[in-house]
Amino acid sequence: MPPVQYAQAGNAAVLGDLASALPQSSAAEGAWFRGIGGFTSLNGSSTAPGFTGETGGFLAGYDRPVAGNIYLGVAGGYLHSNIDEHSTSNGTESSARFALYGGAVLGPSLVAATAGYAHDWLDTNRGIAGIGTASESHGGNEATVAGQWSLPLTIHGLSGGTATLTPKVGFQFVHLSEDSFADSGAGGFDLSASGHGTDSFQPYLGATVAQKFTTDSGAEITPELRLGYAYEALANSRLLTVTTASGFNFPVTGIAPSRSQCTTGIGVAMVAGPNLSLYADYDVTLPTGNTTAQTVQAGLRWRL
């Protein structure tokens, strides 16, 4: 169960990364790369243990204008997660993904959307005292869709300068379809389950505030503050029916992640040359429920 939940939580962040990679004003052909690292924790309950996980990987993409202020892009990447349940179980989740994304500058507004596919490799291990370890490996397939509207607004900034306030609203959808699996290594304690699917739909809203500063040497540095809120609109229960080695079926209930998630973050971007921009971001899912997360990213965009 934990690898399923962790894959789902991570994929929502990937969709947001693609949307934020789009040019924010006029369309400009370019390529980008970003490294991603993250830490996630779900607290358990009296009926189901929680888990912690770490993720690392990368995303890279290329986009270009196709007509006026309309542009399209393609992206791909790889993510790997290690998950430790608050018990004797652990697992890993790896995903290779591909996505198309695009957007349009409509007057002062920016509309962006992404759609993608990923294949997952899931592995779990259940340690059973005095018996052994029940292990299994199975695959999964994801379909992802996201959309976002944003509106950059000029406001008064620090030291008499101007800053940009950008409210945004959007949605993220993930469908995860898992193959069947069967444990081995624990004899009569081995379990199996048929294939099943999990869906997540999260509308969200947020805002960013950024201001550009120019150093004496002419370098442009833009710090940014972010705040957001997302809500899980579909079922957040995690129920799986498993079968014992003797053929008996019974339900297993996993921990349900928080429906409401508040996020905040900081970032900085720097123009390092006429065609090169560098950036770094740190974001936190606040502990308003049983889910907390931290994500660190750094990357570059090269204007072609």
Side-chain angles (χ1 to χ4, degrees), residues 183 186-192 242-250:
D183 285 338
F189 289 85
D190 289 335
L191 300 175
S192 62
V242 298
T243 303
T244 65
S246 60
F248 177 72
N249 296 327
F250 68 94

Side-chain angles (χ1 to χ4, degrees), residues 2-4 6-7 54 78-84 90-95 120-125 136-138:
V4 179
Y6 200 71
E54 304 85 35
Y78 174 82
L79 294 174
H80 176 80
S81 303
N82 295 314
I83 305 101
D84 290 304
N90 59 73
T92 63
E93 184 269 337
S94 299
S95 60
D120 296 320
W121 295 269
L122 302 168
D123 301 278
T124 63
N125 301 286
E136 64 82 24
S137 299
H138 67 283

Side-chain angles (χ1 to χ4, degrees), residues 19-296:
S20 65
L22 294 168
Q24 297 298 303
S25 55
S26 60
E29 183 177 5
W32 54 270
F33 175 89
R34 65 177 61 195
I36 303 170
F39 306 88
T40 298
S41 175
L42 263 71
N43 295 327
S45 65
S46 58
T47 58
F51 67 89
T52 57
E54 304 85 35
T55 292
F58 71 91
L59 285 171
Y62 163 81
D63 48 68
R64 59 169 297 173
V66 293
N69 285 336
I70 300 175
Y71 47 88
L72 295 176
V74 59
Y78 174 82
L79 294 174
H80 176 80
S81 303
N82 295 314
I83 305 101
D84 290 304
E85 196 174 64
H86 299 162
S87 65
T88 59
S89 300
N90 59 73
T92 63
E93 184 269 337
S94 299
S95 60
R97 61 189 62 250
F98 171 83
L100 298 174
Y101 64 98
V105 179
L106 305 176
S109 301
L110 172 66
V111 178
T114 71
Y117 165 80
H119 183 76
D120 296 320
W121 295 269
L122 302 168
D123 301 278
T124 63
N125 301 286
R126 293 184 300 112
I128 304 172
I131 302 297
T133 300
S135 302
E136 64 82 24
S137 299
H138 67 283
N141 296 286
E142 305 168 33
T144 54
V145 179
Q148 178 177 284
W149 171 89
S150 60
L151 177 63
L153 302 170
T154 300
I155 61 174
H156 292 293
L158 300 176
S159 303
T162 59
T164 302
L165 170 66
T166 307
K168 59 187 67 177
V169 296
F171 70 91
Q172 300 176 140
F173 174 78
V174 179
H175 172 73
L176 173 60
S177 176
E178 291 186 81
D179 298 337
S180 61
F181 72 84
D183 285 338
S184 63
F189 289 85
D190 289 335
L191 300 175
S192 62
S194 58
H196 64 286
T198 307
D199 293 324
S200 172
F201 179 77
Q202 295 184 0
Y204 66 88
L205 56 86
T208 64
V209 178
Q211 182 173 347
K212 181 186 296 184
F213 297 91
T214 303
T215 67
D216 293 339
S217 62
E220 295 181 352
I221 300 175
T222 306
E224 181 180 270
L225 299 176
R226 295 183 289 273
L227 185 65
Y229 172 78
Y231 181 79
E232 178 55 68
L234 300 181
N236 67 337
S237 60
R238 299 295 181 263
L239 181 64
L240 178 67
T241 299
V242 298
T243 303
T244 65
S246 60
F248 177 72
N249 296 327
F250 68 94
V252 176
T253 302
I255 189 69
S258 305
R259 281 194 178 275
S260 296
Q261 296 188 10
C262 296
T263 60
T264 186
I266 58 175
V268 62
M270 181 178 69
V271 177
N275 297 316
L276 178 63
S277 299
L278 306 176
Y279 53 87
D281 297 299
Y282 174 72
D283 294 279
V284 178
T285 299
L286 301 174
T288 54
N290 69 343
T291 304
T292 58
Q294 301 179 66
T295 303
V296 178

